[in-house]
Every structure is written in structure tokens, then in C-alpha cells.
Amino acid sequence: QVQLVESGGGSVQAGGALRLSCAAPGYTFRTSCMAWFRQAPGKEREWIATTSSIIATPNVANSLQGRFTTSRDNDNNQLTLSMNNLTPEDSGIYYCAADPGGACYSRRKSADFRYWGQGTQVTVSS
């Protein structure tokens, strides 16, 4: 079983920032597409961003570009999601996901990823 370990969730006021981290086994990190998703109560899971091990520029959802970005720390096998200028609509459970193979930037659905973290709660207050 591939275990993804997330950290960094919590509560923040509107306009603030949070940085989430996802640690993965080295082999998984080196060979997998990595992505972030989020889900608010009563809503479908929403894709945020995907990273590739060979392409430096991440693929971020159009609606989140300019506020959200993701990056890889290859020395520590860790994925980071940086979130800025947060609003209450950003509240939800944030998930890290991984899937081996290529064509990373075409993967934008939950079904495209076979390994998932436990999720971490992000709450943004007005």
C-alpha cells in the first residue's frame, strides 16, 4: 500500500495563506504524477493542480491560477501546495493524490489517480 502523508491544514482568515505538504515514498514520488484535489460538503471533488517529474511548470486550474501553485521538492520527496489570498469558498478537505505513468497534465479527474492521502481540512473564515 502506498501511503501519502499530508500536513499543513488548519484555519485561516480571509485574505490569508496556507501551505500544504504531501510526503510520498521515494519510488512513488519519482515515478508518479502528483496532484491536489479539494472537496466541500455537498459538492463534487474538484481538481486543483497536477505536477510532473519531468516538466517543471505545474498545471493549475484556470480558476485558481494566480492564487494557488504547487511544486516538488525532489530532495525530500515532498509535494507542496501554496495557497494565497484565501476566501471562505476555498474551505474544504484537501487531498494529495498520485498515479504512476506519464501524460500527467491530462490527468484532472479523481479516477485518474489510484493513491490518495487521508485529506486535511482547510477552513477560511470571513
Side-chain angles (χ1 to χ4, degrees):
Q1 183 180 7
V2 174
Q3 182 68 49
L4 306 181
V5 181
E6 298 164 285
S7 61
S11 299
V12 64
Q13 291 185 327
L18 283 175
R19 179 170 293 182
L20 308 182
S21 297
C22 173
Y27 179 81
T28 299
F29 194 85
R30 291 191 300 271
T31 61
S32 295
C33 303
M34 304 288 295
W36 292 97
F37 291 81
R38 67 182 183 183
Q39 187 169 21
K43 297 184 179 180
E44 295 183 352
R45 191 163 297 182
E46 176 188 14
W47 173 73
I48 297 173
T50 298
T51 66
S52 167
S53 62
I54 60 174
I55 303 297
T57 303
N59 188 13
V60 181
N62 289 337
S63 62
L64 299 176
Q65 291 181 1
R67 296 197 301 119
F68 287 23
T69 192
T70 187
S71 61
R72 289 176 176 247
D73 182 350
N74 294 321
D75 293 333
N76 295 295
N77 301 319
Q78 184 168 287
L79 186 73
T80 297
L81 177 66
S82 298
M83 305 184 292
N84 300 302
N85 195 24
L86 289 163
T87 71
E89 289 70 37
D90 294 317
S91 297
I93 302 176
Y94 283 67
Y95 298 92
C96 174
D99 200 273
C104 293
Y105 290 174
S106 69
R107 304 175 187 236
R108 301 183 179 185
K109 300 178 180 179
S110 296
D112 293 332
F113 296 87
R114 69 184 68 184
Y115 304 123
W116 292 82
Q118 78 284 0
T120 184
Q121 179 70 46
V122 172
T123 302
V124 184
S125 60
S126 300

